[in-house]
Amino acid sequence: MTQETAVRSRRKTGGRGVRRTRSRGRRALKIFGLVVALLVLGGAGAGWWMYSHLNGNIDSVDLDQAIGDDRPEKVATGARNVLVIGSDSRAGANGDLDHGNVSGARSDTTMLVHIPEGRAKATAVSIPRDTLITRPDCKDGDGKTVPGQKRAMINGVLGVGGPACVVKTVEKLSGVRVDHFVQVDFAGFKGLVDALGGVTVKLDQPINGSKGGLQLDAGEHRLNGEDSLKFVRTRYGYGDGSDLGRIGLQQQFMMAMLSEIKKQDAFGNPARLYKLADAGTKSLTTDSELASLTSLADFAQSMKGVDPATMETIMLPVAYDKTDPNRVVAAEPQSTQLWEALRNDTAIPASAKKSPAKGGS
């Protein structure tokens, strides 16, 4: 088609073809969908190599195969639930970040993000790592059955059975269907923050970490990747030194990082976008439905209406365990009210946001 013919065609359609093309282009550039820009700038060969490289960064798990049919029903309204797992594995590059290369991994962060129908807002529910739960029978990464256990700590599930077991445990705990999961480890988290050029946080009280921990006065701070990692792992030296206090820092940082990603004009800068995508996909594990740049871009596009400034962050209501005061258990009836609201995609009642435990281990 000649340029003149193309112009006449666009005039006949009232510019609709142009709008559709621009819409597709914007979607392709969202988050990890940068293949179009790479093809234009670097040629088909280089663009395909970069696309393949980023795809190859992503590990995946088939949840249906790993968990089977014993799962809650999907929310009929079209809402989505995404489980975010922050792994504190000390193996390999992660060991270098945490002063030691040791085997095993725990989920330092377990957060269920609920996106209601309409995708205009979201609610993030953090589950304290010291929460005692009943871990169901699971299959590990090799397909071997891991027997269930009562009174297991939720942060130990990842090391025992892998991310699929964490998904199954959260589903059993909540009765909420997990549609997708994203697991990020230390190295990937640090790299993403550094690729952003840092993240700005504001503290209402100082952090006085000991033994090489983070030292920050109250006020605003721009954190690099290494300090951001210390920030989200801070426990002692902040507030009452509890795990529940650390959850507040993690939720605050998540909001700050999402705001930073949204603020930066990465989509108009293919080189910067590639850097972010490369950092974001390294050390990333997802369910098989999200395990490609195209799938990630489509999912990101579907959530473009979610504003980090309006995202609600709450903690699973917990109470101190009567046998071990250093552990917590889901508080009733608050936790049941919370999970019921997520299952039915309805507003969370104020009573479900109150946690009897104000401190923690």
Side-chain angles (χ1 to χ4, degrees), residues 59-64 180-181 286-292 295:
D59 292 327
S60 67
V61 174
D62 188 331
L63 289 180
D64 289 332
H180 302 292
F181 84 87
T286 72
D287 58 282
S288 55
E289 292 184 12
L290 283 185
S292 73
S295 297

Short mmCIF file of all heavy atoms in Angstrom, two decimals, residues 59-64 180-181 286-292 295:
data_model
loop_
_atom_site.label_atom_id
_atom_site.label_comp_id
_atom_site.label_asym_id
_atom_site.label_seq_id
_atom_site.Cartn_x
_atom_site.Cartn_y
_atom_site.Cartn_z
N ASP A 59 11.11 -18.35 34.87
CA ASP A 59 10.78 -19.73 35.21
C ASP A 59 9.28 -19.81 35.46
O ASP A 59 8.64 -18.81 35.80
CB ASP A 59 11.54 -20.18 36.46
CG ASP A 59 13.04 -20.30 36.22
OD1 ASP A 59 13.41 -20.65 35.10
OD2 ASP A 59 13.82 -20.01 37.15
N SER A 60 8.71 -21.00 35.30
CA SER A 60 7.26 -21.13 35.47
C SER A 60 6.89 -22.45 36.09
O SER A 60 7.66 -23.41 36.08
CB SER A 60 6.55 -20.97 34.12
OG SER A 60 6.86 -22.05 33.26
N VAL A 61 5.68 -22.47 36.65
CA VAL A 61 5.10 -23.67 37.26
C VAL A 61 3.67 -23.81 36.77
O VAL A 61 2.91 -22.83 36.78
CB VAL A 61 5.11 -23.58 38.80
CG1 VAL A 61 4.39 -24.77 39.41
CG2 VAL A 61 6.54 -23.49 39.33
N ASP A 62 3.30 -24.99 36.32
CA ASP A 62 1.93 -25.27 35.90
C ASP A 62 1.11 -25.59 37.15
O ASP A 62 1.22 -26.68 37.71
CB ASP A 62 1.90 -26.45 34.93
CG ASP A 62 0.53 -26.69 34.31
OD1 ASP A 62 -0.49 -26.36 34.98
OD2 ASP A 62 0.45 -27.19 33.19
N LEU A 63 0.31 -24.63 37.60
CA LEU A 63 -0.43 -24.81 38.85
C LEU A 63 -1.45 -25.92 38.76
O LEU A 63 -1.63 -26.69 39.71
CB LEU A 63 -1.13 -23.50 39.23
CG LEU A 63 -0.23 -22.36 39.72
CD1 LEU A 63 -1.07 -21.14 40.06
CD2 LEU A 63 0.60 -22.78 40.92
N ASP A 64 -2.16 -26.03 37.64
CA ASP A 64 -3.17 -27.08 37.51
C ASP A 64 -2.55 -28.46 37.62
O ASP A 64 -3.11 -29.37 38.23
CB ASP A 64 -3.90 -26.94 36.16
CG ASP A 64 -4.81 -25.72 36.13
OD1 ASP A 64 -5.28 -25.31 37.22
OD2 ASP A 64 -5.04 -25.18 35.04
N HIS A 180 -3.09 -16.33 39.65
CA HIS A 180 -1.70 -16.22 39.22
C HIS A 180 -0.80 -16.05 40.43
O HIS A 180 -1.25 -15.60 41.50
CB HIS A 180 -1.49 -15.02 38.28
CG HIS A 180 -2.34 -15.05 37.06
ND1 HIS A 180 -2.19 -15.97 36.06
CD2 HIS A 180 -3.38 -14.25 36.68
CE1 HIS A 180 -3.08 -15.75 35.10
NE2 HIS A 180 -3.81 -14.71 35.46
N PHE A 181 0.48 -16.40 40.27
CA PHE A 181 1.44 -16.09 41.31
C PHE A 181 2.70 -15.52 40.66
O PHE A 181 3.02 -15.82 39.50
CB PHE A 181 1.77 -17.31 42.17
CG PHE A 181 2.83 -18.22 41.60
CD1 PHE A 181 4.19 -17.99 41.83
CD2 PHE A 181 2.48 -19.31 40.82
CE1 PHE A 181 5.15 -18.83 41.30
CE2 PHE A 181 3.44 -20.16 40.28
CZ PHE A 181 4.79 -19.91 40.52
N THR A 286 6.77 -17.53 37.69
CA THR A 286 5.34 -17.28 37.63
C THR A 286 4.61 -18.59 37.32
O THR A 286 5.22 -19.61 37.04
CB THR A 286 4.98 -16.25 36.53
OG1 THR A 286 5.15 -16.88 35.25
CG2 THR A 286 5.86 -15.03 36.61
N ASP A 287 3.28 -18.52 37.36
CA ASP A 287 2.50 -19.65 36.85
C ASP A 287 2.65 -19.69 35.34
O ASP A 287 3.01 -18.68 34.70
CB ASP A 287 1.03 -19.51 37.25
CG ASP A 287 0.42 -18.23 36.74
OD1 ASP A 287 0.68 -17.17 37.34
OD2 ASP A 287 -0.30 -18.27 35.73
N SER A 288 2.39 -20.83 34.74
CA SER A 288 2.64 -21.02 33.31
C SER A 288 1.81 -20.09 32.43
O SER A 288 2.23 -19.75 31.32
CB SER A 288 2.36 -22.48 32.92
OG SER A 288 1.05 -22.87 33.30
N GLU A 289 0.66 -19.63 32.91
CA GLU A 289 -0.17 -18.74 32.11
C GLU A 289 0.43 -17.34 31.96
O GLU A 289 0.10 -16.61 31.03
CB GLU A 289 -1.58 -18.63 32.71
CG GLU A 289 -2.39 -19.91 32.62
CD GLU A 289 -3.80 -19.72 33.13
OE1 GLU A 289 -4.21 -18.56 33.33
OE2 GLU A 289 -4.50 -20.73 33.34
N LEU A 290 1.33 -16.97 32.87
CA LEU A 290 1.96 -15.65 32.80
C LEU A 290 3.39 -15.70 32.29
O LEU A 290 4.03 -14.65 32.16
CB LEU A 290 1.96 -14.99 34.19
CG LEU A 290 0.67 -14.38 34.71
CD1 LEU A 290 0.95 -13.68 36.04
CD2 LEU A 290 0.07 -13.40 33.73
N ALA A 291 3.89 -16.88 31.99
CA ALA A 291 5.32 -17.06 31.77
C ALA A 291 5.79 -16.69 30.37
O ALA A 291 6.51 -17.44 29.72
CB ALA A 291 5.72 -18.50 32.09
N SER A 292 5.39 -15.53 29.88
CA SER A 292 5.91 -15.00 28.61
C SER A 292 5.73 -13.49 28.62
O SER A 292 4.89 -12.96 29.35
CB SER A 292 5.18 -15.61 27.41
OG SER A 292 3.87 -15.08 27.29
N SER A 295 2.14 -12.54 27.62
CA SER A 295 1.14 -12.75 28.67
C SER A 295 1.28 -11.71 29.78
O SER A 295 0.28 -11.19 30.29
CB SER A 295 1.29 -14.15 29.26
OG SER A 295 1.05 -15.14 28.28
#
